């Protein structure tokens, strides 16, 4: 089976990928094969096809036909849809909190971190924050145009503050209490705080 998790930034996708890898070790896990990001290597669908059991996680906006960045190995949306057996969309409802999380992830170079974070919102640069927010809104529009009502769409808030039951069923993965508490259970890792410009804020990443 070949599974694709397409996500908008700061939606909890890395933790889901890590949990999946723990409970389904027979799967090959590939993170960001189509993103010009970090040390990731661009892979074509042909290169990915050698894996029988495959879980791919990629930020969704890189598939947007409107983006300037184009790589010859970057697949088209129709090819992606036909290649994968299962495609899941992950995003957030609260764009303001998502933009804040993305802002500090870039400031602290902590995109891959799933550890406890402290945000000092008094250091926030409003113009840069608004740029992040604008990009996230465009990503949501892209999701609505190309993927909404075609694939299951999960939201960060419903999963991390609700239940992973439906997602686990769709991914055909079991509940492992130890792994869940280590990776996905935010009550074991985070203290939720209100955003306040005048003090440090402990918040969910």
């Amino acid at each position: 089976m070949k599974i694709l998790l397409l996500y908008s930034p700061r939606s909890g996708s890395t933790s889901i990928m890590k949990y999946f890898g723990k409970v389904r070790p027979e799967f090959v896990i590939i993170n960001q094969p189509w993103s010009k990001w970090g040390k990731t290597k661009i892979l074509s669908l042909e290169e990915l096809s050698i894996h029988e059991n495959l879980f791919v996680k990629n930020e969704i906006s890189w598939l947007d036909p409107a983006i300037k960045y184009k790589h010859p190995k970057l697949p088209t949306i129709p090819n992606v849809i036909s290649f994968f057996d299962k495609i899941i969309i992950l995003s957030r409802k609260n764009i303001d909190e998502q933009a804040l999380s993305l802002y500090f992830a870039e400031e602290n170079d902590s995109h891959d971190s799933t550890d406890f974070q402290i945000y000092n919102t008094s250091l926030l640069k409003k113009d840069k924050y608004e740029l992040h927010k604008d990009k996230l809104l465009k990503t949501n529009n892209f999701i609505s145009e190309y993927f909404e009502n075609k694939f299951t769409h999960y939201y960060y808030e419903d999963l991390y503050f609700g239940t992973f039951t439906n997602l686990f069923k769709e991914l055909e993965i079991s509940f492992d209490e130890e792994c869940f508490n280590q990776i996905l259970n935010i009550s074991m890792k985070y203290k939720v705080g209100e955003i306040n410009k005048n003090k440090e804020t402990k918040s969910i990443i």
Side-chain angles (χ1 to χ4, degrees):
M1 178 179 288
K2 294 178 175 59
I3 300 170
L4 174 62
L5 175 61
L6 292 173
Y7 67 95
S8 64
R10 316 308 295 169
S11 295
S13 63
T14 299
S15 293
I16 291 170
M17 177 186 69
K18 289 181 178 179
Y19 182 87
F20 185 94
K22 286 283 189 181
V23 298
R24 297 297 298 270
E26 74 275 19
F27 272 73
V28 174
I29 309 295
I30 298 181
N31 186 25
Q32 305 282 58
W34 310 313
S35 300
K36 191 178 179 182
W37 176 81
K39 297 180 180 180
T40 56
K41 180 182 179 181
I42 305 296
L43 298 172
S44 66
L45 292 178
E46 183 178 358
E47 290 171 305
L48 294 175
S49 68
I50 64 173
H51 305 295
E52 182 177 355
N53 292 316
L54 176 68
F55 182 97
V56 171
K57 177 178 86 78
N58 207 94
E59 203 272 300
I60 195 168
S61 67
W62 290 98
L63 295 177
D64 189 343
I67 65 171
K68 295 180 180 179
Y69 163 71
K70 292 294 178 184
H71 189 283
K73 291 184 178 181
L74 194 67
T76 63
I77 293 174
N79 287 341
V80 165
I81 291 173
S82 63
F83 179 82
F84 286 92
D85 301 303
K86 194 167 291 186
I87 297 176
I88 292 169
I89 310 299
L90 178 66
S91 66
R92 283 174 84 148
K93 295 177 179 178
N94 191 318
I95 300 298
D96 292 321
E97 290 183 0
Q98 186 178 12
L100 184 71
S101 180
L102 181 57
Y103 175 93
F104 282 105
E106 291 203 352
E107 289 293 303
N108 301 328
D109 193 22
S110 60
H111 284 281
D112 283 339
S113 174
T114 56
D115 295 330
F116 177 80
Q117 302 274 333
I118 294 179
Y119 300 152
N120 188 342
T121 52
S122 65
L123 302 176
L124 187 142
K125 299 174 183 176
K126 186 69 174 178
D127 56 342
K128 189 173 182 179
Y129 166 80
E130 291 295 337
L131 284 175
H132 285 308
K133 186 175 177 180
D134 182 62
K135 289 179 181 179
L136 291 170
L137 289 170
K138 288 179 180 178
T139 296
N140 280 357
N141 291 336
F142 169 62
I143 291 173
S144 298
E145 182 176 356
Y146 287 94
F147 294 97
E148 202 68 67
N149 301 320
K150 295 179 182 178
F151 307 101
T152 311
H153 188 169
Y154 293 93
Y155 291 95
Y156 167 88
E157 291 87 349
D158 295 335
L159 295 174
Y160 286 89
F161 294 96
T163 176
F164 285 85
T165 300
N166 290 336
L167 176 62
F168 282 11
K169 286 181 180 178
E170 186 161 4
L171 291 176
E172 299 177 29
I173 55 178
S174 60
F175 173 77
D176 182 298
E177 185 174 4
E178 182 179 358
C179 287
F180 184 85
N181 286 336
Q182 288 177 349
I183 301 171
L184 292 174
N185 189 347
I186 61 173
S187 69
M188 306 292 288
K189 295 192 294 181
Y190 307 112
K191 179 180 179 182
V192 182
E194 293 297 324
I195 297 171
N196 188 312
K197 293 182 179 180
N198 300 315
K199 65 179 180 180
E200 289 184 336
T201 301
K202 298 179 176 66
S203 182
I204 298 168
I205 60 173

